[in-house]
Amino acid sequence: MYDRNSVRLSLIHALPAAAEASGVSSMQVLSLGGLEADAFSDCDRVVRRSQIYAVMQGLARKSGDATIGFRMADASSPDMLGLFGRSMLVGRTLREVLALKRRHMPWLQRGTSISMATFGLKFQWTHRMHGSDPGEARFLNEGIAAFMVKSVRAMSGDEAARLHVILPHRPIVPLSRYEEALRCAVSFVPGNELVIRFDANLLERRNMLCRDNRPELDPARIAAVPFDCGLTDADLLQCLLRMFEVAALMGRLTLRDTARTLGFSPRSLQRRLAGLDATFEEIVDQWRHRQALDWLDGQDGGTEKVAARLGYTDASHFIRAFRRWQGVSPTDFRRARARGAPADHNLARNGN
């Protein structure tokens, strides 16, 4: 499933703080989604939801924290979530806030529907992401669940409020880890709906976060602000190049994985690149050629290490490719460079 839905980067505005707290370079994590190092300088920027998934999954792997979505929710701020977040500061009651959140979700994220219902003494909030694979969306769903649980408690003024969270994916860590992080009951039900249940009597409580000088919410902004994450040709090529180094190290430098991250099907990405008179394989090959020359010139540019950084499973495959590029082996290339001899005649001849 290829999630083409658009979201604002502000949805994960807490990622840099979570990465720093985990000792992980946010720049490297962002590159997994094809995003530049200063991407968060404009949190209203629109990207593909699939890029968000790749970034969050990368942070989870590099930090070793399978519940990184919960950590990000702890560091999040309503003020950073635009109309959706400011709803928490405007609604006079919890019911009013939740209705505003549903109304303003399209400003933050497309391809999402929210429903609310009361069953006897229980209220149910259901958040559904359309066109998403629950496994891919796991970290984002957990972050949304943690943010909503934290918000309900803060707005109602009841930190001991009893809630029940139902997540639409399989648990990755013991159930106790989820319940400890959310401080409530947690269940896992296959599907694509994140469900949060709590006592309906909380709905009429005064919103403890409501400000006297309440910020204005302009519904017209939902339609007025462009919500297009279409990549120009130049942007697409830059995204690919940012993704390659980290993807190669992770063994994910493939057309399928790259296309999924950018919200394309493999065939659609190939068609897009064909319009640029290129193929995915050619772009990867050119990137590997340039990087091999740079890394072999470095002090720590041994053949085995460079092969691994370029995503080759066997150094012999790299050596054959290098002979095709340069006409010599990587070892001979380094020796020639050490003597000051020109060993890059093929590079100049091919114009790469």
Side-chain angles (χ1 to χ4, degrees):
M1 188 176 294
Y2 307 100
D3 194 328
R4 297 176 174 84
N5 289 293
S6 303
V7 302
R8 295 197 187 279
L9 201 56
S10 54
L11 185 65
I12 58 167
H13 66 273
L15 184 136
E20 182 180 352
S22 301
V24 175
S25 165
S26 60
M27 179 178 70
Q28 191 177 51
V29 170
L30 286 170
S31 67
L32 283 169
L35 300 173
E36 60 273 26
D38 63 347
F40 283 98
S41 61
D42 179 13
C43 281
D44 279 350
R45 174 182 171 183
V46 177
V47 300
R48 290 272 175 95
R49 193 158 59 196
S50 54
Q51 292 175 275
I52 299 292
Y53 296 159
V55 169
M56 294 188 73
Q57 290 166 6
L59 179 55
R61 282 192 295 266
K62 290 184 175 298
S63 66
D65 185 355
T67 58
I68 195 66
F70 299 152
R71 308 287 85 75
M72 289 174 60
D74 289 340
S76 63
S77 166
D79 287 306
M80 295 295 294
L81 293 172
L83 296 173
F84 180 84
R86 287 197 288 276
S87 299
M88 296 172 59
L89 314 175
V90 173
R92 292 184 173 84
T93 64
L94 180 55
R95 183 191 295 277
E96 189 175 326
V97 170
L98 294 177
L100 286 169
K101 281 185 176 294
R102 179 173 62 178
R103 181 179 184 180
H104 292 289
M105 173 58 80
W107 186 91
L108 183 64
Q109 183 178 189
R110 297 293 168 89
T112 301
S113 61
I114 294 173
S115 61
M116 303 188 299
T118 302
F119 303 97
L121 300 177
K122 292 292 182 182
F123 172 81
Q124 178 169 301
W125 162 283
T126 302
H127 180 282
R128 180 176 182 178
M129 289 191 286
H130 304 276
S132 282
D133 178 87
E136 292 282 313
R138 179 171 70 87
F139 296 106
L140 184 55
N141 266 325
E142 290 177 1
I144 293 170
F147 179 79
M148 289 301 298
V149 167
K150 181 178 75 169
S151 299
V152 167
R153 287 178 172 143
M155 290 185 291
S156 67
D158 186 355
E159 287 298 319
R162 299 178 63 183
L163 296 95
H164 182 192
V165 171
I166 302 174
L167 295 167
H169 54 261
R170 294 182 298 173
I172 304 299
V173 296
L175 178 61
S176 58
R177 287 273 303 278
Y178 292 97
E179 294 182 332
E180 180 182 356
L182 294 175
R183 295 189 295 116
C184 69
V186 179
S187 301
F188 296 86
V189 176
N192 58 1
E193 293 182 344
L194 161 64
V195 175
I196 301 175
R197 295 173 181 160
F198 54 87
D199 291 339
N201 59 22
L202 295 179
L203 292 172
E204 307 309 327
R205 288 199 179 184
R206 182 172 66 88
N207 175 16
M208 303 300 291
L209 301 182
C210 185
R211 297 175 179 174
D212 292 333
N213 56 335
R214 300 188 300 165
E216 292 293 328
L217 293 182
D218 181 7
R221 287 187 64 192
I222 294 178
V225 178
F227 214 127
D228 179 18
C229 65
L231 294 170
T232 66
D233 291 343
D235 288 340
L236 175 59
L237 291 174
Q238 285 300 313
C239 279
L240 293 176
L241 294 177
R242 290 188 200 106
M243 295 166 65
F244 284 171
E245 183 171 350
V246 179
L249 282 171
M250 298 174 63
R252 298 184 63 182
L253 186 48
T254 66
L255 171 63
R256 180 180 178 276
D257 286 324
T258 303
R260 180 184 290 274
T261 295
L262 296 177
F264 292 100
S265 70
R267 183 173 296 180
S268 294
L269 180 56
Q270 284 285 46
R271 281 199 299 265
R272 180 72 182 273
L273 294 176
L276 302 177
D277 295 322
T279 67
F280 179 79
E281 293 74 19
E282 288 170 349
I283 295 172
V284 170
D285 192 65
Q286 292 168 8
W287 172 79
R288 281 173 161 164
H289 187 181
R290 289 192 295 269
Q291 294 303 119
L293 295 177
D294 288 343
W295 290 339
L296 285 170
D297 264 345
Q299 294 181 349
D300 193 20
T303 299
E304 296 281 345
K305 184 171 183 178
V306 171
R309 289 183 67 182
L310 292 174
Y312 289 100
T313 55
D314 191 313
S316 63
H317 299 160
F318 167 55
I319 293 170
R320 284 198 295 272
F322 198 87
R323 285 186 181 277
R324 171 169 55 83
W325 297 326
Q326 295 297 123
V328 296
S329 71
T331 300
D332 289 341
F333 173 85
R334 294 196 73 193
R335 288 172 179 164
R337 281 294 178 89
R339 295 194 305 268
D344 55 351
H345 53 282
N346 282 2
L347 178 64
R349 185 177 63 207
N350 294 336
N352 286 332

